[in-house]
Amino acid sequence: QVIAELLDDRRISKEEISPTVLRALISLIKNGVGLSGKHPKHRLALDLIEAYNERLHSAQAVDFDDLLRLPLEIMKKSSEVRERIERRYEHVLIDEFQDTNRVQYDLARALALPQNHLFAVGDDDQSIYGWRGADATVLLDFQKDLPGARIYRLEQNYRSTQPILDVA
């Protein structure tokens, strides 16, 4: 609704950019995905993101991306909040880790501190959400980012029988 109103107020037609496309571009920008030159409406999204954020703020609302970004910012700014959260979570588990983006990864790492008890399950060969900002390099760099991390490779598929695997 906020995006549709913003487009109406700026007299930008839905034919020029749909609210859905604009929302997706804003999401990618908020998550630090470099779009420059990759989408013809990237510049327009950059021009509108500040007004979009101001409207959310004035409505005392956040979007999904803010639900990830804002806690991370608060934890960076407030040692009191960070320490309270560090005491609350001893272990963090993430499934489908290959489909996380950089902000999600940074938040997970912050939640897992100071013990670095971050358990991630993923398969870099199955990363399918790059179009929405997923970054498989967070899985590939896991051991480098968390010294002492161990990798357990599950080479056998227990979910499917061999005939199904052969067809796949």
Side-chain angles (χ1 to χ4, degrees):
Q1 181 180 350
V2 170
I3 289 187
E5 290 172 4
L6 180 62
L7 290 174
D8 286 344
D9 291 352
R10 298 285 174 101
R11 293 190 173 102
I12 299 170
S13 73
K14 291 180 176 76
E15 287 75 38
E16 184 176 345
I17 187 167
S18 74
T20 303
V21 169
L22 180 57
R23 175 70 195 101
L25 291 172
I26 287 174
S27 178
L28 291 171
I29 293 166
K30 283 187 170 191
N31 285 292
V33 177
L35 287 176
S36 188
K38 291 184 182 177
H39 193 281
K41 299 299 181 180
H42 178 246
R43 179 82 244 149
L44 180 58
L46 284 172
D47 292 343
L48 295 174
I49 193 168
E50 188 175 335
Y52 168 73
N53 285 330
E54 287 173 5
R55 285 174 185 242
L56 285 178
H57 182 74
S58 67
Q60 296 182 339
V62 295
D63 60 18
F64 180 76
D65 302 302
D66 292 337
L67 291 174
L68 299 169
R69 190 180 52 79
L70 294 175
L72 187 57
E73 285 181 18
I74 292 168
M75 290 174 67
K76 287 178 180 178
K77 290 178 183 175
S78 171
S79 60
E80 179 184 334
V81 170
R82 184 182 62 251
E83 289 166 6
R84 198 165 88 215
I85 290 172
E86 286 174 354
R87 287 190 301 271
R88 184 173 187 173
Y89 301 104
E90 187 172 335
H91 297 88
V92 175
L93 166 67
I94 301 174
D95 194 13
E96 302 296 340
F97 192 66
Q98 74 277 359
D99 292 326
T100 59
N101 64 35
R102 182 58 59 176
V103 174
Q104 292 167 329
Y105 178 55
D106 290 345
L107 181 59
R109 286 191 58 201
L111 291 172
L113 289 173
Q115 306 91 338
N116 280 332
H117 290 168
L118 178 58
F119 185 86
V121 178
D123 182 347
D124 57 315
D125 287 333
Q126 293 187 28
S127 182
I128 59 171
Y129 291 107
W131 56 271
R132 72 165 192 211
D135 183 0
T137 62
V138 298
L139 176 64
L140 299 172
D141 294 341
F142 191 81
Q143 276 188 301
K144 181 177 72 175
D145 292 344
L146 297 164
R150 291 175 283 178
I151 293 180
Y152 299 94
R153 297 194 187 284
L154 304 177
E155 303 291 339
Q156 187 172 353
N157 186 328
Y158 292 98
R159 293 183 185 174
S160 301
T161 63
Q162 194 58 48
I164 293 171
L165 295 175
D166 291 343
V167 171

